[in-house]
Amino acid sequence: MDYEQLNLDPSIRNWVLIPLVVVMFVVSILRDNITRITKTEKKPDLQSIQQTQTLIRTRRLISNAHKIPYSSFEQRKQTFIDKEKGILAVRGGTGEQNALMNPMMNPMMGDPSNMMDMMKGNLTTILPQILLMTWVTHFFSGFVAAKVPFSLTERFRPLLQRGIELSHLDVTYVTSLSWYFLVMFGLRGAISLVLGEGNASDDTRMMFDGGMGAMTQQQQQIDITKVYTSERENLELVSHDWAVQNAEEKLLFKKGVLRVESVGSPNPRLRKTNSPKETKKIR
């Protein structure tokens, strides 16, 4: 199928293509600065941090039990699972222990500044996009701004030719509205170089933060007493086996310096050997 070819005026590059890139770059920098200025510093919840660190310490003790002697392991184990003074001891009915179970009792959820920060974030994200879309639609509607230097299939027409319904126009031509969307997502790398990773103008990061915020609210509704009970039971079931028990004898036996004198006896004795050939293997 023969498509219609267009000769683009160089003025379109100077008054449409470049201004869109510059304006969107400047708006992204302004969004980042405004977000940083209006952001409220959040105070960490001490109780939540303590509970999280307690669970981390418990799981580290379970996974690294074989790296410490039996006496050290038992001492740490009793520190956690002791029914009266243990860190994981469930003292039923205390409101402090169940603070994370009820979101209304959590100071992080009850702080009005959290809702205000969400509103500020939505305002700095949605308002610039609405203004930019209105500006592009009003001043640059109907412009063919650029041409892609390689061939494309028909599936790219809705993406590259928004605002122009011409089926006989070559797919490689890009309209001003499509150029706006391409620049909006394409400038992310350049903005990250200027403002750094995790800047406030990154829409993808803000959507991810919104999803993580919802997940955090769900996690805050978990009954911490059940989690403590589960970790306590897991720690009680750990069978300690010190990895360096009799390490010297094992090393000497492996190198052939010692050999087993009485194989099969309940208490085999090791004695020095003159050569590695005399070493017997324990079966």
Side-chain angles (χ1 to χ4, degrees):
M1 181 177 180
D2 295 332
Y3 292 106
E4 183 177 349
Q5 301 294 323
L6 300 178
N7 292 323
L8 299 180
D9 190 345
S11 299
I12 295 178
R13 175 195 59 197
N14 301 332
W15 296 102
V16 178
L17 206 67
I18 297 177
L20 278 174
V21 178
V22 174
V23 169
M24 293 189 66
F25 186 79
V26 173
V27 169
S28 298
I29 295 177
L30 291 176
R31 279 178 54 191
D32 181 72
N33 292 328
I34 293 174
T35 303
R36 293 178 186 274
I37 292 173
T38 58
K39 186 176 180 180
T40 305
E41 293 294 333
K42 297 180 180 179
K43 296 181 180 180
D45 183 15
L46 180 60
Q47 184 180 4
S48 176
I49 295 175
Q50 289 176 345
Q51 292 170 342
T52 303
Q53 292 299 319
T54 298
L55 295 176
I56 292 175
R57 290 174 56 195
T58 307
R59 289 162 186 170
R60 284 180 178 175
L61 179 60
I62 293 174
S63 60
N64 299 301
H66 63 284
K67 297 180 181 179
I68 57 177
Y70 178 77
S71 59
S72 300
F73 171 73
E74 281 295 322
Q75 183 180 4
R76 289 169 172 80
K77 179 179 177 181
Q78 292 302 320
T79 303
F80 283 103
I81 68 173
D82 187 77
K83 294 183 179 180
E84 296 182 358
K85 299 181 180 179
I87 299 176
L88 297 178
V90 179
R91 302 170 184 86
T94 59
E96 297 178 356
Q97 194 81 357
N98 297 320
L100 291 185
M101 181 178 63
N102 187 357
M104 300 305 296
M105 296 176 60
N106 194 340
M108 294 296 291
M109 295 294 296
D111 191 357
S113 62
N114 293 333
M115 296 296 296
M116 185 62 67
D117 289 339
M118 293 177 60
M119 293 177 62
K120 291 177 182 178
N122 294 333
L123 184 64
T124 56
T125 302
I126 298 174
L127 184 60
Q129 297 295 342
I130 293 175
L131 295 177
L132 284 173
M133 278 289 297
T134 305
W135 174 64
V136 172
T137 304
H138 181 73
F139 287 99
F140 305 114
S141 178
F143 278 92
V144 178
K147 186 177 187 296
V148 179
F150 47 84
S151 60
L152 296 171
T153 61
E154 282 291 328
R155 293 183 178 182
F156 288 90
R157 186 180 297 278
L159 176 65
L160 298 180
Q161 296 183 1
R162 289 178 177 269
I164 294 181
E165 301 295 337
L166 295 176
S167 59
H168 59 277
L169 185 64
D170 193 1
V171 186
T172 56
Y173 288 100
V174 183
T175 62
S176 57
L177 188 59
S178 297
W179 178 251
Y180 163 75
F181 288 106
L182 292 176
V183 172
M184 180 175 64
F185 294 103
L187 277 179
R188 190 179 304 154
I191 294 173
S192 299
L193 291 176
V194 177
L195 302 178
E197 293 291 339
N199 57 83
S201 61
D202 191 351
D203 296 328
T204 305
R205 185 190 67 85
M206 298 190 71
M207 288 187 293
F208 176 77
D209 291 344
M212 289 300 294
M215 291 177 61
T216 303
Q217 292 181 6
Q218 293 178 359
Q219 291 176 355
Q220 287 174 340
Q221 297 179 9
I222 297 175
D223 190 350
I224 195 65
T225 58
K226 294 182 179 179
V227 178
Y228 274 11
T229 303
S230 176
E231 291 298 327
R232 186 170 179 269
E233 292 175 353
N234 293 336
L235 189 56
E236 289 176 345
L237 295 174
V238 173
S239 178
H240 183 268
D241 185 14
W242 193 19
V244 294
Q245 184 72 28
N246 300 324
E248 299 87 351
E249 288 82 357
K250 292 179 182 178
L251 178 61
L252 293 175
F253 179 77
K254 184 178 180 181
K255 296 298 183 181
V257 180
L258 297 177
R259 74 179 182 88
V260 179
E261 192 172 61
S262 55
V263 180
S265 62
N267 298 313
R269 292 177 296 171
L270 296 173
R271 69 175 179 85
K272 289 186 178 180
T273 182
N274 295 327
S275 67
K277 295 181 180 180
E278 299 181 14
T279 303
K280 276 192 173 183
K281 205 175 202 181
I282 300 178
R283 294 182 181 269

